[in-house]
Amino acid sequence: MSGAPTDRTQVKRLPERGRYDRETIDAILDEALICHLAWIQDGSPRIIPTIHARYGDTLYVHGSQPSRTLRAARDGAEVCVEVTLLDALVLARSAFHSSMNYRCAIVYGRAREISDRDEKWHAQKVLVDHVVHGRSEHVRMPNERELKQTMILAISLDEASAKVRTGPSKEDEEDYDLPIWAGVLPLRFETGEPEPDPRLLDGLTPPENVTDYRR
């Protein structure tokens, strides 16, 4: 879905950076590896970092059944999920106008705990493949005991927005004459050489989705 922003998703500061189309929002959610889930419990704010994955119009958030914090959010609680991708440091001539190029997405909605076994199994597969594409075909997926220990929340993407900054700094006109280097320092996600587990069986090599890992 896409459309007009709500009162909560409307970008008010620097509104020209707001994005409300699902293509942009989905791309940010799909690239990010970690989200932050926030809610209010007993009048006090709570937030945790965790793993997420998008499937169609639903955002899955992974957790543990013993988690007291997630148990409080599972029964229709109003939640907010946020992800950020940092693309570059924007080094201006002045400290005030220095910034960062980034892409972030925020989702508002009510969390629903997935209790149906088939839906939970599907969501678990989506989460595994979000971290490493195709990984669910190479690992032992959870057994019944492990599945019961796992909590997965589902949140609709009906209310979501993105905010994106690109390009160089925008400075006061008089500062452009200062003898100070300014520009953009790009940041990139890179993977190192795969390190085999100490108890790995002889003769096993990492699959291509590990050696050629990309986000």
Side-chain angles (χ1 to χ4, degrees):
M1 295 182 183
S2 62
T6 66
D7 289 341
R8 295 192 293 188
T9 61
Q10 176 76 54
V11 176
K12 296 177 175 62
R13 184 177 182 279
L14 302 173
E16 68 277 8
R17 297 182 187 176
R19 303 286 189 276
Y20 306 102
D21 62 288
R22 277 292 303 275
E23 183 179 3
T24 299
I25 295 167
D26 290 354
I28 295 170
L29 293 172
D30 293 348
E31 183 175 346
L33 280 169
I34 291 183
C35 74
H36 287 84
L37 174 71
W39 68 98
I40 300 294
Q41 180 179 344
D42 299 326
S44 180
R46 298 283 190 273
I47 187 168
I48 58 170
T50 187
I51 300 170
H52 71 281
R54 182 189 65 86
Y55 184 79
D57 295 331
T58 300
L59 187 69
Y60 294 128
V61 178
H62 179 274
S64 172
Q65 280 289 352
S67 169
R68 181 180 62 179
T69 52
L70 280 183
R71 288 202 308 270
R74 67 185 176 184
D75 297 322
E78 193 79 24
V79 300
C80 176
V81 179
E82 189 274 346
V83 304
T84 297
L85 299 169
L86 183 60
D87 295 320
L89 303 180
V90 180
L91 307 176
R93 294 162 183 81
S94 67
F96 181 81
H97 289 293
S98 295
S99 186
M100 298 181 185
N101 285 342
Y102 61 86
R103 291 164 288 149
C104 68
I106 294 181
V107 179
Y108 292 97
R110 293 192 177 276
R112 171 180 65 88
E113 181 183 5
I114 297 177
S115 55
D116 178 79
R117 185 191 181 282
D118 291 340
E119 184 183 8
K120 191 172 184 179
W121 181 267
H122 167 74
Q124 181 68 71
K125 182 178 184 298
V126 171
L127 284 158
V128 170
D129 287 338
H130 172 75
V131 177
V132 178
H133 180 70
R135 185 63 178 168
S136 63
E137 303 300 323
H138 297 124
V139 297
R140 178 184 68 76
M141 291 296 286
N143 55 36
E144 291 297 325
R145 177 181 57 82
E146 293 167 335
L147 206 60
K148 289 179 180 179
Q149 293 178 10
T150 302
M151 182 188 299
I152 300 177
L153 301 179
I155 304 163
S156 170
L157 291 174
D158 288 342
E159 192 176 4
S161 66
K163 190 174 182 180
V164 178
R165 191 203 188 282
T166 60
S169 60
K170 298 175 182 178
E171 308 192 43
D172 297 333
E173 191 61 37
E174 60 269 23
D175 285 345
Y176 285 104
D177 292 330
L178 292 174
I180 299 171
W181 188 91
V184 173
L185 182 62
L187 302 175
R188 296 184 177 88
F189 180 95
E190 294 185 356
T191 57
E193 191 72 21
E195 300 177 2
D197 185 89
R199 297 184 62 176
L200 192 70
L201 296 177
D202 291 339
L204 292 177
T205 58
E208 288 185 3
N209 60 353
V210 174
T211 57
D212 298 335
Y213 187 88
R214 298 289 187 276
R215 292 308 299 171

